[in-house]
Amino acid sequence: MYLFHRMENYEIYHGKQGRYLNIWLILCLFPRTCVSNPYKPNFLLILADDLGIGDVGCYGNDTIRTPNIDGLAKDGVRLTQHIAAAAVCTPSRAAFLTGRYPIRSGMASSTQRQVLFWNGGSGGLPPNETTFARILYQQGYSTALVGKWHMGVNCKTRHDHCHHPLNHGFDYFYGMPFTLVNECQGTDDPELAKSLQDTYWFYTQMIVLAVFTLVIGKLANLFPVKWKIIICLATCGLLHFISWFSSYGFTKYWNCILMRNHDITEQPMNLQKTTSNMLKEAITFIERNKRRPFLLFVSLLHVHTPLITTEKFQGRSRHGLYGDNVEEMDWMVGRLLDVIDKEDLKNTTFIYFASDHGGSLEAHRANSQLGGWNGIYKGGTVWKAHYATPVFQPEASGACFRRGICPCFGDGVTHHDPPLLFNLSQDPSEANPLPADTEPLFDTVVRRMKRAVEEHGKTLTPVPQQLSPYNNIWKPWLQPCCGTFPFCWCHEENNKA
C-alpha cells in the first residue's frame, strides 16, 4: 500500500478544537478501515530534506534517475496539492509530527532566526505536544526515528532530553539530533556562521558596552544598579561571545553528531559512513519488528547541503553533485522497499514519501546552485496574498543569496498595502498580481482572508516561544557531549574496541 506525497508536503484539516490532522494520521487512528487484514498496518514514512518538486521523474524530471520513487507514485497515490506548514526545517517538521500549525506549539519564529541553530540550545518541540508516534506507541506499535530530528534536545540540563525523540513517542532513535550544514564537512563556506557571526559579535559589543557603562555608573554613584543585574548582563554577553567564537570552528563538534537513543555514538560524525549506517539501522529495525505493528520514520539527510554522497554515486548524474545526491536518495528508498518485499510486508505496510518543504534556492557554491528545482511554484493555496515580500538578492532571483535564508521581518522585507493578490488556479507561478482597482473580487477576497486570520488568532493560546533569542543561543551547560565538556569527541567503533 503506497501513499505517495510530494510538493510542499502538508495538507491541513481544521477540527473543532483547532487540531490539524494530516491524511496518514487519520489512517493511523482507524487502521481497521484501511485494509482487509484485521491486524494493524505498519507505517514506513520517508521524509526527504529540501527536495524540489522538479527533482524526481514522477513530477516531470527526465534527466535525474529516480526509478524507486517513481515506482511509488505509479503504484500508489501521487498527491499534488499538499502544502508545507513552513518553508524551513524546524517549524515544518514540528507541524509534520503533530498535525498542528507550528505557531500553536511555539515553533514558529517571530525573529530572523527561523530554525534551531544549536544542539546546545534550550528550544525545541515541547514535551506536551502529541505526535503521531506517541499515538501509535500508545496503540502498541514499535516506533522508531532514523535520521534527522532538528527539533531540540535539552531544556535545563545536559541530560534532561526534554525535546528528544524518545520523549515524543519514539521508542528508538538513531540519527542526527541537528541537521546537516556545511560546517559538518568543513570544506564549504560556513552555513550557520554566515548568518550568526555578525549578529553575535554585534550583541557582544552592545552588551559589553552596557556592562562597562553600568559598572562605571555604579562605582561613581551616578545611578543605583544592583551588582546582580550587572552580573546577569555580563553572563549574557559572555554567552554571545562564546557563541560567536564557537561559530568559527566548533560548530562541527557541537552540532554534527550522531546519537543512538540518549547516547552519543559519534562526535563529530563520520560523514562518509553516515548514509550506510542509517540505512543499516532502518533495515535492521524492520527485520527486528516484522512480526509486530511498527512505525518507522526515516528522516533522510538527503538532499540537504553539503550533499554528502558516497563515492559510488559521485559523478553518475547529469546534474552534478545535487543530482548524484538525489539518485543516491532514490537508491536508499529502493533498499527500504526491497526489505519490505523480502519480509512479505508489502500488503500490510503504508509507505509514505514526502519532502519537508521545497528546494533550497540559496544553496550554492561559487556560481553553481546546489539546491533543488521548485519549478514554477512558490507555494500557496487557491488564492494567495503577500502582505510582505522578501527583498531578493539579487532582484528577481526568488532567493536571498547574501542572507542565506530570506527573512520575514525587518529591513529584509517590503510591505504591501493593499497586498499583492494572486489567483493560483490561473497564475500558479505568481507572476501577475491582480490589480486592486479593477479586479471585482479583490476586496471580497482580502476581507475574507483578514476575517480568517482574525478567527484563527482567536483560537491561539499563548505558549513559550521555542525559537526566541534566549532559547536559540548556545548554552554550554546544555551541549550534548560524549566526553568531559568541552573535550567532546568519540567514535562508536573506537569505543567498542
Side-chain angles (χ1 to χ4, degrees):
M1 292 166 285
Y2 297 135
L3 181 59
F4 182 81
H5 175 186
R6 230 324 304 159
M7 173 62 179
E8 307 251 290
N9 150 354
Y10 207 68
E11 182 71 47
I12 296 172
Y13 298 86
H14 184 260
K16 291 183 179 179
Q17 304 302 322
R19 302 289 295 187
Y20 297 82
L21 300 177
N22 47 30
I23 194 168
W24 41 265
L25 181 52
I26 295 177
L27 295 176
C28 294
L29 295 174
F30 303 101
R32 291 181 182 271
T33 65
C34 301
V35 292
S36 57
N37 191 320
Y39 298 103
K40 296 176 180 178
N42 306 311
F43 294 91
L44 171 59
L45 314 179
I46 308 171
L47 192 68
D49 196 355
D50 293 2
L51 181 68
I53 190 172
D55 297 333
V56 290
C58 54
Y59 284 90
N61 192 300
D62 58 3
T63 56
I64 297 181
R65 293 165 293 189
T66 55
N68 296 298
I69 297 174
D70 298 345
L72 278 177
K74 180 181 178 181
D75 298 336
V77 178
R78 186 170 68 97
L79 307 177
T80 59
Q81 293 297 324
H82 277 27
I83 301 171
V88 287
C89 298
T90 298
S92 175
R93 288 166 181 267
F96 182 83
L97 277 166
T98 64
R100 302 214 299 165
Y101 284 125
I103 193 173
R104 294 187 180 277
S105 58
M107 296 290 276
S109 175
S110 58
T111 71
Q112 301 284 9
R113 305 286 174 242
Q114 301 174 46
V115 298
L116 292 174
F117 277 84
W118 303 98
N119 278 326
S122 55
L125 188 63
N128 63 345
E129 287 294 312
T130 300
T131 66
F132 58 74
R134 179 168 291 159
I135 292 174
L136 290 181
Y137 180 78
Q138 292 170 348
Q139 294 188 9
Y141 276 70
S142 180
T143 57
L145 168 60
V146 174
K148 169 178 172 175
W149 177 240
H150 204 187
M151 282 183 285
V153 182
N154 299 312
C155 287
K156 297 180 179 180
T157 70
R158 184 169 296 144
H159 302 292
D160 65 30
H161 299 123
C162 69
H163 301 307
H164 192 278
L166 297 192
N167 207 30
H168 284 290
F170 294 100
D171 57 24
Y172 184 77
F173 170 63
Y174 177 84
M176 194 175 187
F178 194 63
T179 182
L180 274 181
V181 287
N182 288 342
E183 283 89 338
C184 294
Q185 193 173 43
T187 57
D188 294 325
D189 292 335
E191 190 171 345
L192 287 179
K194 180 168 57 176
S195 59
L196 285 173
Q197 287 168 352
D198 290 345
T199 301
Y200 282 145
W201 184 239
F202 172 78
Y203 282 115
T204 298
Q205 291 177 306
M206 293 298 100
I207 294 173
V208 168
L209 180 61
V211 170
F212 180 77
T213 302
L214 291 176
V215 170
I216 295 298
K218 174 74 172 178
L219 296 178
N221 293 320
L222 296 177
F223 45 81
V225 60
K226 295 181 179 180
W227 283 111
K228 183 178 180 180
I229 296 177
I230 297 176
I231 292 173
C232 289
L233 192 60
T235 301
C236 185
L238 179 62
L239 287 177
H240 276 87
F241 174 80
I242 293 175
S243 296
W244 168 78
F245 184 77
S246 296
S247 67
Y248 278 94
F250 289 98
T251 304
K252 180 177 182 179
Y253 289 88
W254 302 152
N255 284 341
C256 305
I257 67 176
L258 286 181
M259 298 183 76
R260 176 177 284 106
N261 295 327
H262 291 147
D263 299 324
I264 300 173
T265 62
E266 293 182 2
Q267 188 172 14
M269 56 200 285
N270 184 342
L271 297 179
Q272 302 309 314
K273 295 184 177 181
T274 299
T275 296
S276 60
N277 285 345
M278 290 189 177
L279 185 58
K280 178 181 177 181
E281 291 283 341
I283 292 174
T284 301
F285 176 83
I286 295 174
E287 295 173 341
R288 189 169 63 241
N289 293 277
K290 61 185 177 183
R291 301 192 186 281
R292 60 174 297 186
F294 66 79
L295 160 71
L296 173 58
F297 178 18
V298 180
S299 181
L300 298 168
L301 299 182
H302 296 62
V303 287
H304 197 288
T305 52
L307 302 174
I308 302 302
T309 309
T310 57
E311 186 176 352
K312 175 182 177 182
F313 286 90
Q314 292 178 12
R316 286 185 38 163
S317 77
R318 294 166 56 183
H319 286 279
L321 186 58
Y322 183 82
D324 298 344
N325 204 245
V326 173
E327 293 193 2
E328 182 177 58
M329 175 187 68
D330 181 80
W331 170 79
M332 294 178 69
V333 172
R335 292 286 287 112
L336 293 171
L337 299 182
D338 288 344
V339 73
I340 292 292
D341 286 345
K342 175 187 173 184
E343 301 298 341
D344 196 26
L345 299 173
K346 183 174 181 179
N347 292 326
T348 56
T349 303
F350 281 104
I351 301 173
Y352 179 90
F353 178 88
S355 178
D356 57 356
H357 44 73
S360 175
L361 299 181
E362 288 82 8
H364 66 283
R365 179 184 298 146
N367 294 324
S368 300
Q369 184 173 337
L370 295 180
W373 183 58
N374 297 324
I376 64 174
Y377 299 106
K378 299 176 183 177
T381 54
V382 179
W383 291 87
K384 187 174 182 182
H386 291 276
Y387 290 86
T389 54
V391 178
F392 295 125
Q393 304 162 338
E395 188 177 353
S397 65
C400 302
F401 293 106
R402 296 175 192 168
R403 291 179 177 264
I405 296 178
C406 286
C408 299
F409 311 94
D411 60 359
V413 301
T414 299
H415 295 273
H416 304 284
D417 186 15
L420 302 181
L421 187 66
F422 299 91
N423 185 344
L424 298 187
S425 61
Q426 300 176 1
D427 181 22
S429 64
E430 302 174 36
N432 303 298
L434 299 172
D437 52 349
T438 60
E439 170 55 50
L441 292 177
F442 190 96
D443 291 337
T444 301
V445 171
V446 171
R447 281 198 303 269
R448 184 174 299 176
M449 286 184 170
K450 181 180 179 180
R451 188 163 58 249
V453 171
E454 291 173 349
E455 291 299 318
H456 170 69
K458 294 177 182 177
T459 70
L460 297 178
T461 302
V463 293
Q465 296 303 301
Q466 300 296 325
L467 302 180
S468 67
Y470 175 77
N471 281 330
N472 216 356
I473 192 173
W474 182 67
K475 301 177 177 68
W477 59 90
L478 297 182
Q479 175 61 47
C481 180
C482 62
T484 301
F485 185 84
F487 306 102
C488 304
W489 54 76
C490 60
H491 194 273
E492 187 177 45
E493 281 70 23
N494 292 343
N495 289 345
K496 289 180 179 179

